[in-house]
Amino acid sequence: MDCPKCKVPMIVIERLNIELDYCINCGGVWFDTGELQLLFDSLHIEYNSLEGTGLSESDTKEEKRPCPVCKKKMKKIRMGEKNKVLLDKCPAGEGLWFDAGELRQIVEQHVSPLSEGGNRIVQYIGESFREVKNK
């Protein structure tokens, strides 16, 4: 699977029975549909639906990227409670693309980073990607 941002092959990271597609070039990560909820569930953290708000063409200047699964141009959505994070969502429902740092921003808005749940998510993310960088 190729990175929608860099167009280079991504690697698969598997931890806690969750497979994430990760770009070692830009640090972006692809979540297939349901994997974000699976991550929260596996860490016993309450997950509220993170649907996001769709944007019109004129709401952002950021280039639309191809879905790494179906290759259709992804929709731009804003997700988060306070500081809305601009994400890419497959129009066919295949999943979500997070640029480097965006997943952490979402987690910190939905789970207190100082809570036990917030610490587990941040630790999971850090350990997953640190293993890749150390190889």
Side-chain angles (χ1 to χ4, degrees), residues 14-64:
E14 184 176 345
R15 294 202 67 222
L16 303 177
N17 296 320
I18 301 167
E19 287 186 3
L20 298 179
D21 298 283
Y22 176 70
C23 179
I24 58 174
N25 190 47
C26 71
V29 64
W30 173 258
F31 278 85
D32 289 319
T33 299
E35 286 180 334
L36 189 57
Q37 176 151 6
L38 184 60
L39 171 61
F40 276 71
D41 290 348
S42 70
L43 296 171
H44 308 290
I45 297 168
E46 185 178 336
Y47 174 87
N48 297 323
S49 179
L50 301 174
E51 287 299 314
T53 305
L55 301 176
S56 69
E57 293 285 330
S58 62
D59 287 338
T60 179
K61 301 270 191 252
E62 191 173 293
E63 178 183 342
K64 287 190 171 187

Side-chain angles (χ1 to χ4, degrees), residues 4 8-9 42 57 60 75 86 94 103-104 110 116:
V8 299
S42 70
E57 293 285 330
T60 179
K75 297 177 182 178
L86 186 62
E94 299 288 349
L103 179 57
R104 185 178 199 138
H110 289 272
E116 181 181 343

